[in-house]
Amino acid sequence: MTTTPSTPGGPVGGGIAGVLFDFSGTLLRIESAESWLRASLAAFHAAPGTAPCPLTGADIARLAAALARAGALPGGSAPAVLPDRLAALWRIRDRDARHHRALYTGLARQVPLPHAELYDPPGAARSLYDVLYARHMAPEAWVPYPDAAEVLAALARRGIRTGVLSNIGWDLRPVLRAHGLDRHLSACVLSYEHGLQKPDPRLFTLACREVGVAAPRVLMVGDDRTADGGATAIGCAYFPVDPLPVHLRPDGLRPVLERVGAEGPTGPAGPRGAEHPTGAEGPTGAAGPGESVR
């Protein structure tokens, strides 16, 4: 059996020759806001000549919670309240690296830093806000879902071409490499490199072309029903996952193997599984955790 665009998430069979995966909330999840803040503080205070951290554990927990509510962690929760002056930037944040950085540093700056004379002095070349933004792009800030590598490897063995299609404002390929997830991917399509973001049909069309598989034979896997589910507009099937914490979703990707079916593709859409990415978690609008790292 096969899905149709009008029945996302239904069973599909051996006709599927390519699978596109979202990044944030699908293959990997960003660290917690407190972990993000603690790592950023460690990096800030590691600079020569920087004073020791004056924050207590309780201070750090309060500040992390405030930053999370502000939506300042890319890949984390959406803002509880989106400031009017950032609303337009929120809508296009994943089309350009500058937009992405401006939005998330702007959201972080909604939260005043304690000891501002240390962490955000006027005219300083570096503030804690800058370090926070840099941290979320570090491989150490991301944790793969337990079954991510297993599922990618199994698809490669079946001759299924796989790729990452992400709404994002920075190059995630180093993160994939660091976690060993790139080895089975034949394409990596990032929104900011093309000035488009999901659910724009043009981005899905480009991604299908990159993996070398026609849209009706492609399955899109992602946590955002609007952004990722938009793949059905060009004829792809769609399989939703939930962007739960890693320890609460040990096997959310394994059903993809059942959806694809035991038989691999034949003909011109044969395997390219061992190739490295060649070319693209947050959701469009104010959705919850996902890709806008989006």
Side-chain angles (χ1 to χ4, degrees):
M1 293 186 293
T2 60
T3 58
T4 66
S6 61
T7 57
V12 300
I16 293 296
V19 181
L20 293 170
F21 291 90
D22 176 44
F23 173 69
S24 174
T26 299
L27 288 177
L28 302 95
R29 184 176 166 95
I30 191 67
E31 64 188 333
S32 70
E34 186 165 340
S35 173
W36 168 59
L37 176 56
R38 286 183 179 276
S40 299
L41 286 167
F44 184 91
H45 289 281
T50 304
C53 180
L55 302 181
T56 66
D59 292 335
I60 292 171
R62 282 192 295 270
L63 181 56
L67 288 165
R69 286 192 300 273
L73 173 57
S77 301
V81 177
L82 182 62
D84 289 342
R85 67 180 185 82
L86 295 175
L89 202 54
W90 174 268
R91 291 191 291 271
I92 60 171
R93 63 194 179 278
D94 295 316
R95 295 184 194 174
D96 183 274
R98 292 167 298 179
H99 296 340
H100 193 272
R101 183 183 185 96
L103 172 74
Y104 283 101
T105 54
L107 290 171
R109 284 186 174 278
Q110 300 303 301
V111 180
L113 295 176
H115 304 279
E117 73 285 354
L118 172 62
Y119 290 123
D120 190 31
R126 184 185 74 146
S127 77
L128 181 58
Y129 294 118
D130 299 315
V131 179
L132 285 165
Y133 185 81
R135 166 65 188 184
H136 97 273
M137 297 184 286
E140 299 79 15
W142 293 90
V143 183
Y145 282 97
D147 55 347
E150 167 197 334
V151 168
L152 290 174
L155 290 171
R157 287 194 298 272
R158 296 180 186 184
I160 303 293
R161 296 182 184 180
T162 57
V164 165
L165 173 55
S166 176
N167 277 355
I168 200 165
W170 50 277
D171 188 359
L172 56 76
R173 297 178 187 89
V175 176
L176 295 172
R177 283 196 295 270
H179 292 288
L181 299 181
D182 66 319
R183 65 191 66 178
H184 300 301
L185 297 172
S186 56
C188 190
V189 179
L190 309 182
S191 61
Y192 83 100
E193 293 182 338
H194 303 282
L196 302 168
Q197 58 189 50
K198 297 177 288 184
D200 192 318
R202 293 173 294 175
L203 195 60
F204 292 112
T205 299
L206 189 155
C208 290
R209 186 165 65 243
E210 286 291 311
V211 295
V213 180
R217 299 188 69 194
V218 171
L219 176 66
M220 178 72 212
V221 181
D223 66 292
D224 190 311
R225 273 68 170 171
T226 299
D228 301 314
T232 61
I234 67 164
C236 299
Y238 170 56
F239 181 80
V241 295
D242 293 320
L244 299 172
V246 168
H247 70 283
L248 295 178
R249 210 194 79 189
D251 54 4
L253 293 172
R254 286 182 190 143
V256 170
L257 301 177
E258 300 172 16
R259 300 292 190 187
V260 168
E263 298 298 322
T266 59
R272 279 174 60 190
E275 297 181 16
H276 289 272
T278 58
E281 70 11 99
T284 299
E291 245 176 270
S292 200
V293 283
R294 169 296 170 335

